[in-house]
Amino acid sequence: MRTTQILFLFFWFLGVLAYRSFCANVTYDHRALVIDGKRRILISGSIHYPRSTPEMWPDLIQKSKDGGLNVIETYVFWNKHEPVRGQYNFEGGNDLVKFVRLVGAAGLYVHLRIGPYVCAEWNYGGFPLWLHFIPGIQFRTDNEPFKREMQRFTAKIVDLMKQEKLYAAQGGPIILSQIENEYGNGDIEPRYGPAAKPYVKWAAAMATSLNTGVPWVMCQQADAPDPIINTCNGFYCDQFTPNSNSKPKLWTENWSGWFRSFGGAVPYRPVEDLAFAVARFFQRGGTLQNYYMYHGGTNFDRTSGGPFISTSYDYDAPIDEYGIIRQPKWGHLKDVHKAIMLCEEALIATDPQIKSLGPNLEAAVYQAGSTCAAFLANVGTSSDATVNFNGNSYHLPAWSVSILPDCKNVVLNTAKVNSPSTISSFTREIFKEDGNSLEGSSSGWSWIGEPVGISKANAFSQAGLLEQINTTADRSDYLWYSLSIDLDDGGGPQTVLHIESLGHAVHAFINGKLAGSGVHDAAKKLDVPVTLAAGKNTIDLLSLTVGLQNYGAFFDTWGAGITGPVRLNGLKNASTLDLSSQQWTYQVGLQGEELGYSDGSSGKWNSGSTLPKNQPLTWYKTNFAAPSGSNPVAIDFTGMGKGEAWVNGQSIGRFWPTYIAPKSGCNEACNYRGTYNSNKCLKNCGKPSQSIYHVPRSWLRPSGNILVLFEEIGGDPTQITFATRQIESLCAHVSESHPPPVDSWNTETESGRKLGPVLSLECPNPDQVISSIKFASFGTPRGTCGNFNHGRCTSKRALSILQKACVGSRSCSIGVSIDTFGNPCSDVAKSLAVEAACT
């Protein structure tokens, strides 16, 4: 039994026992949520249970707790739980009860965001497609059919939580729930006109009538009626004010990064800016903030929305897609959380007193009797500043906040990172065949061709062009539009097939051969040069979706597919033939989907003949042994085009390594100072948006695994490789002006001695030790982790001192001062930079 399985069972057993120990009364006042009569500072993080696996949940939850969180927030995904009306699924990765229990067993609270609209870059915003077909329905407005279904599902979830005694009043971990989601945004609520406000009032009344015993929130809903708490979402929420003096200031989504799209670069958010945003929020009266996301995870199967949201939902979160701690983000935020919790007694006792210390400089003081905490902020984007506060002088880097738990001593500055950083990498290895490898196949692969055009008995014909989503009900990404035409003389040398569609992509086949494709905007108006024969010709158009729309007013009505016109231009004598209203034949989905090729056990797989490569519409299969070790596993799909992949019958999602990000827009370094937006810090320009795809370890067996691919446009499966993720290097860079470690605060206060800055290193895995020091410099080192360089000033003793202190140990700490390293240069601000390897 794997270690992860043992951990899972252990935490599950604890979870079964954990909810009879206490019952908590949860209310709120103008300062905070009040749990059993005490105001609480709450630091939360989003983990979406279907974006990881049940085997990963205990580790993700523990790493969240270790990072200083006391709340886990998750959406509830309607289309995962009720894929068919009245048929519910709460098993496996959909086991919401198990997830909530595990969070509680770890000693953390839960914020359950029922919605049931979730947005979340999730397919159709979390709504099941069958909802769209209810007669007379209009989503998210004062519409009786919609309200009836929304209430039925919301009540279903609430009743399930009550039955399992998961609300705080029953001894469970759920302290907060959410109804609706970002409805009050300026591009949403106003579009619904006069019916919007009655809908908001109804949703609030419906939710509170369910008697959960915990408060409800509505995010981005300035007109949320009492007693619903309106909350803030965004990169910054320090300026947010609730709509009532009786409600606390809560931040439900602090975007820790941003989502990735196929065809786009990879966004990231510097931790110095994220920490600044968190500190500013608590500085100005906030008492609950939530990272969206703390672990982003993976859009397995066809769950990604958008359209064009990538399979990876990493989100540059503190815990990465594979469950590995992202440093220095996780560690620096952990320090921020500790610093804030050192101030908790003062923060919950009173409101802040805000005063200016100069242009772009601000102090916030929380004082109640002898209890005092202060935050000093420099919101300027270019210049550091020195301020005088309570008779003492403080240095404030630009775009930073210093936290003073006793109104005197700085425990942390958000721009000064004490936490080590890491470089993660993927090690590639070829697929290892095992005893179950395919007989007769020199490549190790077998294949089946997917027929072009109509191949299923349930195809149907109809005059005109049909909208795709109404036709497929999202049972498949694919819809065939097929037509046979007779031409007396064939087409001319300049004949062009003109196709207009709503996207998301179109492949045009003429007489069984791929003639051209269009993706994204290029699919909306596509011109394909074609060669036609005299007599009968077949035109087969494969329209496909890449995740359904998840955001926007009336997003449920946004269509897809080929809506026309479809014309042949440039026929003989420059004539045009409009095909739009002709009798088209339609097929929903692929033959291979209907026959169950994805699990590898069905179909007549070819293995003796030559493996077709770079051919569209091809299914591939191979058997493989799992990579050795315990590091997270991925597949590098370089060499493939676009399609979907299954491991042992479970979909790891859509792959699309040929969709390349724009060459421009990325910077080698991103200045954290100044307001962040989703396009400010980008990487991976000119490269595939995603070439590496997560395969959960729990989906693998030691041997006898089956990988099945469906390739749309052509690729070479023999080029794909396994990739295992590991930490390549461990680094830290601490200056003489850094505050001491946050953990030393109590020791320093009690002993009365002044501690200095400390550089600490710790290997990420318990069984690892520091094997070498790759770089060490005390003086004026330059660069970043993996690319450090000595400056003009450097101590010759640094490397040997670090080797002696660290090599052979899992962790080490060393003071950053001339007392340790000597003084290589006077009157110069010095720092210590180190890069180490762990094995």
Side-chain angles (χ1 to χ4, degrees), residues 79-100:
N79 53 13
K80 291 291 285 184
H81 294 301
E82 195 179 8
V84 177
R85 191 179 188 278
Q87 297 181 21
Y88 296 99
N89 181 356
F90 290 97
E91 302 298 321
N94 297 329
D95 195 338
L96 175 61
V97 168
K98 184 178 294 184
F99 180 77
V100 172

Side-chain angles (χ1 to χ4, degrees), residues 197-326:
K197 288 193 182 298
Y199 167 66
V200 170
K201 291 180 179 179
W202 168 84
M206 181 270 290
T208 54
S209 73
L210 297 174
N211 299 317
T212 61
V214 302
W216 287 84
V217 304
M218 284 182 164
C219 62
Q220 296 293 91
Q221 196 67 49
D223 59 351
D226 293 344
I228 306 293
I229 306 169
N230 65 304
T231 68
C232 183
N233 291 356
F235 291 116
Y236 309 93
C237 281
D238 50 285
Q239 300 300 315
F240 168 74
T241 303
N243 64 13
S244 167
N245 290 332
S246 66
K247 298 177 183 179
K249 181 173 178 174
L250 310 183
W251 190 359
T252 36
E253 291 188 16
N254 177 2
W255 301 324
S256 58
W258 201 244
F259 56 83
R260 187 188 317 188
S261 298
F262 286 123
V266 179
Y268 64 98
R269 187 178 184 186
V271 68
E272 295 92 338
D273 175 67
L274 184 56
F276 170 80
V278 173
R280 284 285 289 164
F281 179 71
F282 287 100
Q283 175 181 359
R284 297 189 64 89
T287 50
L288 178 153
Q289 82 91 36
N290 174 75
Y291 297 103
Y292 186 100
M293 301 292 295
Y294 201 72
H295 165 74
T298 306
N299 292 315
F300 298 116
D301 205 351
R302 297 170 52 246
T303 57
S304 62
F308 297 101
I309 300 299
S310 67
T311 299
S312 171
Y313 199 68
D314 181 85
Y315 222 88
D316 196 39
I319 304 173
D320 75 10
E321 177 179 4
Y322 299 86
I324 296 175
I325 287 171
R326 172 175 277 117

